[in-house]
Amino acid sequence: DGGITQSPKYLFRKEGQNVTLSCEQNLNHDAMYWYRQDPGQGLRLIYYSQIVNDFQKGDIAEGYSVSREKKESFPLTVTSAQKNPTAFYLCASSAWTSGTDTQYFGPGTRLTVL
Amino acid sequence: QKEVEQDPGPLSVPEGAIVSLNCTYSNSAFQYFMWYRQYSRKGPELLMYTYSSGNKEDGRFTAQVDKSSKYISLFIRDSQPSDSATYLCAMSDSGGGADGLTFGKGTHLIIQP
């Protein structure tokens, strides 16, 4: 089955800890994205990557970091510098080189700060 | 400017009714328009994708784009309880949302059996 997987489904973090959220896709998509969703809010773009070993900041990148060492993988690290990290995190991918394609989402990771 | 406006609801309608969901936007560069359905605690699922102005139909769903008014709509015919979800509009000025999509806040839809 082709798709996007995110792990873990639920993640708990203590104050001051860094945590890494996993995102893997087997759709052979070039581009991958991380969004954050808060209650009553739309999705906000954290980081995106259009090609391996390259990534760009989105609208709310502060306190987050990413890497793109493989086409299939785009992990997100939530650092201790992120002051309000409790949220639902969504990873997406896209074959953006096609003008008719769009983004497809994984099932999400719910991060809670204790 | 990347603002997208969407009424958060909740919108509650009886089963079988026609549902109309809408978004307005301000950035005239947007050309690609999407509707996603999101069930509680799940990832968004792509429903409809349209380019530029016009209508697109897929089963019970019809998407309309009016670029002159900066207004997009999603119509659901013969609504079912399983359609109860949050519907997110999204848009982009680049194909495939290459540099990210701009989302509305979502409309919470409830279909009453």
Side-chain angles (χ1 to χ4, degrees), chain B residues 30-33 50-54 65-67:
Chain B
F30 287 144
Q31 299 185 72
Y32 302 88
F33 304 92
T50 53
Y51 169 70
S52 193
S53 287
V65 174
D66 182 349
K67 289 189 67 180

Side-chain angles (χ1 to χ4, degrees), chain A residues 9-10 33 35 37 40-43 45 48 50 59 88 90 94 96 98-108 110, chain B residues 2 8 32 34 36 38 40-46 49 51 86 88 95-106:
Chain A
K9 187 173 181 179
Y10 299 98
Y33 309 81
Y35 292 89
Q37 186 175 34
Q41 299 292 319
L43 279 67
L45 183 65
Y48 64 100
Q50 296 176 346
D59 300 319
F88 190 45
L90 288 157
S94 167
W96 71 278
S98 166
T100 60
D101 206 352
T102 186
Q103 295 182 17
Y104 299 89
F105 285 84
R110 188 164 298 276
Chain B
K2 286 191 168 184
Y32 302 88
M34 289 129 272
Y36 287 86
Q38 186 177 26
S40 181
R41 300 177 181 270
K42 303 289 185 183
E45 168 194 11
L46 180 67
Y49 176 96
Y51 169 70
T86 296
L88 299 158
D99 54 355
L101 299 175
T102 300
F103 284 85
K105 293 183 178 181

Side-chain angles (χ1 to χ4, degrees), chain B residues 20-37:
Chain B
S20 173
L21 304 168
N22 311 293
C23 287
T24 59
Y25 63 95
S26 55
N27 186 348
S28 57
F30 287 144
Q31 299 185 72
Y32 302 88
F33 304 92
M34 289 129 272
W35 286 95
Y36 287 86
R37 178 175 63 196

Side-chain angles (χ1 to χ4, degrees), chain A:
Chain A
D1 278 336
I4 303 172
T5 57
Q6 291 186 243
S7 62
K9 187 173 181 179
Y10 299 98
L11 185 57
F12 299 91
R13 190 194 93 170
K14 293 183 180 179
E15 294 273 358
Q17 280 185 337
N18 293 355
V19 291
T20 297
L21 283 59
S22 170
C23 178
E24 303 275 336
Q25 56 98 359
N26 60 6
L27 300 168
N28 199 33
H29 284 170
D30 291 304
M32 298 186 73
Y33 309 81
W34 276 104
Y35 292 89
R36 169 180 171 142
Q37 186 175 34
D38 295 281
Q41 299 292 319
L43 279 67
R44 293 182 291 168
L45 183 65
I46 304 173
Y47 268 98
Y48 64 100
S49 168
Q50 296 176 346
I51 196 169
V52 173
N53 291 324
D54 187 46
F55 48 82
Q56 308 295 328
K57 291 183 179 180
D59 300 319
I60 55 165
E62 185 175 352
Y64 300 98
S65 66
V66 293
S67 63
R68 186 86 186 277
E69 297 176 359
K70 299 186 300 182
K71 187 176 183 178
E72 308 79 34
S73 178
F74 191 40
L76 173 74
T77 297
V78 184
T79 75
S80 57
Q82 171 49 238
K83 298 305 179 189
N84 186 22
T86 294
F88 190 45
Y89 289 86
L90 288 157
C91 179
S93 70
S94 167
W96 71 278
T97 51
S98 166
T100 60
D101 206 352
T102 186
Q103 295 182 17
Y104 299 89
F105 285 84
T109 292
R110 188 164 298 276
L111 174 62
T112 303
V113 174
L114 302 173

Side-chain angles (χ1 to χ4, degrees), chain B residues 51-72:
Chain B
Y51 169 70
S52 193
S53 287
N55 294 359
K56 184 174 183 179
E57 186 174 323
D58 184 1
R60 296 186 295 112
F61 299 91
T62 299
Q64 287 187 351
V65 174
D66 182 349
K67 289 189 67 180
S68 63
S69 301
K70 298 189 178 69
Y71 187 89
I72 69 171

Side-chain angles (χ1 to χ4, degrees), chain B residues 68-84:
Chain B
S68 63
S69 301
K70 298 189 178 69
Y71 187 89
I72 69 171
S73 300
L74 178 71
F75 298 94
I76 307 174
R77 293 183 297 280
D78 187 25
S79 56
Q80 304 295 311
S82 58
D83 294 327
S84 297

